[in-house]
Amino acid sequence: PCSFSNKLKVVLAEKAIHAFRKKRWKLHQTNEEYQDTLFHVKWPGRMEEILPGVYIDGAHNENAVERFVETVKRRPVHGGRTVILFSAVKEKEYEKMIAELCQNLSVDSYVITTVESTRKVDAGELARIARKYTDSEVTVREQLEEAWAEMMKQKGEDGIAYCLGSLYLVGMIKELVKGEPEC
C-alpha cells in the first residue's frame, strides 16, 4: 500500500501529465513512465523526513504555512505526540503564520527558538504570540541545540515533530543533524 507521501506524488504526476497534454505538448513517454519519474522526485526542505518521525519544511511565509497545514491535516493519524519547532525572521508575517498553525492544527506542544541571523525574531516574542492562539504547551529555547533536544524529548519515541517557519531554521537543522552521531 502507498504511504500518504507516495499517494501525493502519484496525484502530482497525474496532474502534470494532464497539464502537458492540455497544452498539446508531445509526450514521448507513457503515463506510467512520467508517474514513475515524478514519484521519485525529492524536494529538499519540503516535508522532508530527516530522522524517523522528524520533518523539516521550508514554510517561511503565510501561504507556505497554509500549505503545510493542509499537508499535515491529510497525514494519517498517529498515536504519539505532535510537536512543532518554530522560528521566523522579522520581515515575515510571523503572527499570521503562528495563528494559522495554532488555530488549524491539533498539536501537543510548540518549541520556539531563534535563528542565527540579523533578521531573527526573539523567541520570547514568538512564544508570546503563540500563547495568544493556543492552549498547548509553548516552550522557549533560544539556542537551536537546546530547542532540538527539547523537541526530541517532547516528541518521544512514537511522536511526530515538524520544524518550520524559516529557511534559516531548515538549514541550521540540516547542519545540526549532519553533525549528530549515527545510532
Side-chain angles (χ1 to χ4, degrees):
C2 288
S3 71
F4 170 78
S5 176
N6 292 346
K7 288 178 185 175
L8 183 61
K9 288 179 181 179
V10 169
V11 169
L12 174 63
E14 290 170 349
K15 295 282 187 190
I17 291 166
H18 177 72
F20 289 145
R21 291 218 162 103
K22 191 173 181 181
K23 294 280 189 184
R24 299 183 193 266
W25 292 347
K26 291 192 179 199
L27 299 177
H28 301 289
Q29 287 81 17
T30 65
N31 284 356
E32 292 76 25
E33 289 170 321
Y34 277 102
Q35 285 178 347
D36 185 60
T37 299
L38 289 173
F39 182 79
H40 290 93
V41 168
K42 301 265 190 252
W43 188 348
R46 174 66 180 127
M47 290 305 279
E48 179 182 352
E49 188 171 22
I50 57 171
L51 292 173
V54 179
Y55 297 84
I56 55 173
D57 194 298
H60 65 286
N61 59 43
E62 189 178 359
N63 186 51
V65 171
E66 289 171 3
R67 300 299 76 77
F68 168 81
V69 167
E70 289 172 4
T71 301
V72 171
K73 284 180 157 184
R74 289 186 185 125
R75 293 183 61 88
V77 176
H78 67 94
R81 291 176 49 86
T82 300
V83 181
I84 288 183
L85 175 62
F86 184 86
S87 191
V89 295
K90 62 186 173 185
E91 294 85 6
K92 303 297 179 172
E93 296 280 346
Y94 52 85
E95 181 155 358
K96 290 179 181 178
M97 294 163 62
I98 292 168
E100 177 70 24
L101 291 169
C102 294
Q103 294 172 341
N104 295 297
L105 288 178
S106 177
V107 173
D108 295 293
S109 64
Y110 293 86
V111 178
I112 310 296
T113 193
T114 304
V115 296
E116 294 173 12
S117 170
T118 56
R119 300 168 52 209
K120 67 185 175 188
V121 178
D122 178 68
E125 170 66 6
L126 296 172
R128 182 191 65 72
I129 294 167
R131 289 182 182 115
K132 284 179 18 179
Y133 296 103
T134 186
D135 292 329
S136 296
E137 178 182 358
V138 177
T139 305
V140 175
R141 296 290 183 267
E142 288 287 338
Q143 299 301 313
L144 178 61
E145 293 80 4
E146 294 171 8
W148 177 264
E150 180 66 28
M151 178 200 72
M152 293 300 283
K153 181 179 96 177
Q154 289 187 26
K155 171 188 146 329
E157 200 168 299
D158 298 327
I160 291 182
Y162 299 103
C163 311
L164 71 146
S166 168
L167 294 173
Y168 287 106
L169 181 65
V170 167
M172 290 169 57
I173 289 172
K174 282 190 165 209
E175 285 298 312
L176 179 69
V177 170
K178 187 168 50 171
E180 285 190 354
E182 296 287 326
C183 295

